[in-house]
Amino acid sequence: MSTRPPSYSSQAGRQEITLLIVLGFVSILLWHSPYGGYLLYPFSILATWFHEMGHGLAAMAFGHEFERLVIFPNGSGYALHLAEGDPSRISQAMIAAAGLLGPTVAGCLLILASRTHRSTKAALVLLGAALLGSTLIWVRSTTGWMVLPLLGGASLLLAFYAKEPHRRFAVQFLGVQGCISIYRDFGYLFSRGGYMEGRLQMSDTEHIAQALFLPYWVWGTLITAAIMAMVFYALKIAHQR
């Protein structure tokens, strides 16, 4: 009785999952190195963009006006949205949660997009267009104007001129950065808030707690579990290519 060797696609799938995990660990190590934060700085700004766009797009979904997106040099930021009348408690909670889940949702979608040549290219085109378009429409800060168009232009260049292995690696790397951004924001998830540009700001989990019920740390735990589940299933589906 003979056994069949694993198919090429199965081997390739395992190799790519291993690569994604290694990229995640290396990125986390770089954040702890003296100059790693500088190397990953553009991707820190990208993660903030995912976060704030999550707030802004969710606000628009509830009928609010997405007025501006501001990113500060230290990587913090905010999305200003305006509502006519008093927004419902549900909408307040959902808009706050959308920012926390935004980077992971974007990261998982990018990882899934790397499964095929066509979706890899499409993901880079969509990301590049979204970065450039949002900068023109909503971004109102020097850091955003400097970094986001560069990332958007790089995404489009990779989509149209890079070789397929390079495009796939770029999409996977960007996806990993989105997924691990929760690691850098872990303290924020489990806090009432902090100071931003000299002003005290409530954390998103505290916003959820005040809009609904239960303390902020419960919502931090639930959102962390949701993020871990999303990453797990994204990797599982990516492995099934």
Side-chain angles (χ1 to χ4, degrees):
M1 180 177 179
S2 62
T3 57
R4 256 188 341 179
S7 65
Y8 171 78
S9 60
S10 176
Q11 291 177 350
R14 284 197 294 270
Q15 290 172 355
E16 290 197 354
I17 296 303
T18 301
L19 175 62
L20 293 175
I21 294 172
V22 169
L23 284 175
F25 277 114
V26 170
S27 297
I28 290 172
L29 289 175
L30 281 174
W31 282 115
H32 286 285
S33 67
Y35 302 104
Y38 295 106
L39 292 173
L40 296 177
Y41 181 74
F43 308 109
S44 175
I45 300 301
L46 180 64
T48 301
W49 179 78
F50 284 141
H51 180 108
E52 302 305 339
M53 284 295 292
H55 286 314
L57 294 177
M60 291 175 65
F62 282 101
H64 301 188
E65 179 185 353
F66 185 6
E67 205 273 335
R68 69 176 59 189
L69 191 161
V70 174
I71 299 177
F72 299 111
N74 66 358
S76 63
Y78 67 87
L80 178 63
H81 50 90
L82 308 173
E84 294 184 3
D86 293 328
S88 68
R89 291 179 177 271
I90 293 294
S91 68
Q92 293 179 55
M94 294 294 288
I95 292 169
L100 296 171
L101 297 172
T104 304
V105 170
C108 289
L109 289 175
L110 287 169
I111 289 173
L112 294 175
S114 70
R115 299 176 70 206
T116 67
H117 301 331
R118 191 179 206 177
S119 59
T120 297
K121 183 175 181 179
L124 287 169
V125 171
L126 288 173
L127 178 62
L131 285 163
L132 295 174
S134 66
T135 301
L136 290 173
I137 299 171
W138 293 301
V139 174
R140 300 292 184 270
S141 63
T142 302
T143 300
W145 289 330
M146 291 177 61
V147 178
L148 298 178
L150 290 176
L151 290 171
S155 294
L156 293 176
L157 287 174
L158 286 167
F160 292 110
Y161 297 106
K163 295 180 180 179
E164 176 56 30
H166 298 156
R167 286 202 298 260
R168 184 183 299 114
F169 177 82
V171 168
Q172 291 175 339
F173 180 80
L174 292 172
V176 167
Q177 297 309 307
C179 289
I180 68 168
S181 66
I182 184 62
Y183 171 79
R184 293 182 293 107
D185 295 335
F186 200 71
Y188 175 73
L189 269 173
F190 293 92
S191 72
R192 292 184 180 275
Y195 285 90
M196 183 173 66
E197 296 296 297
R199 293 182 298 176
L200 182 62
Q201 300 286 339
M202 282 193 301
S203 69
D204 290 327
T205 46
E206 179 64 15
H207 273 293
I208 298 172
Q210 292 200 8
L212 299 179
F213 52 89
L214 301 177
Y216 67 91
W217 57 267
V218 174
W219 294 109
T221 302
L222 292 174
I223 288 171
T224 300
I227 287 171
M228 292 176 66
M230 283 192 289
V231 173
F232 172 80
Y233 281 106
L235 293 174
K236 182 178 179 180
I237 294 171
H239 178 70
Q240 295 170 352
R241 55 174 295 176

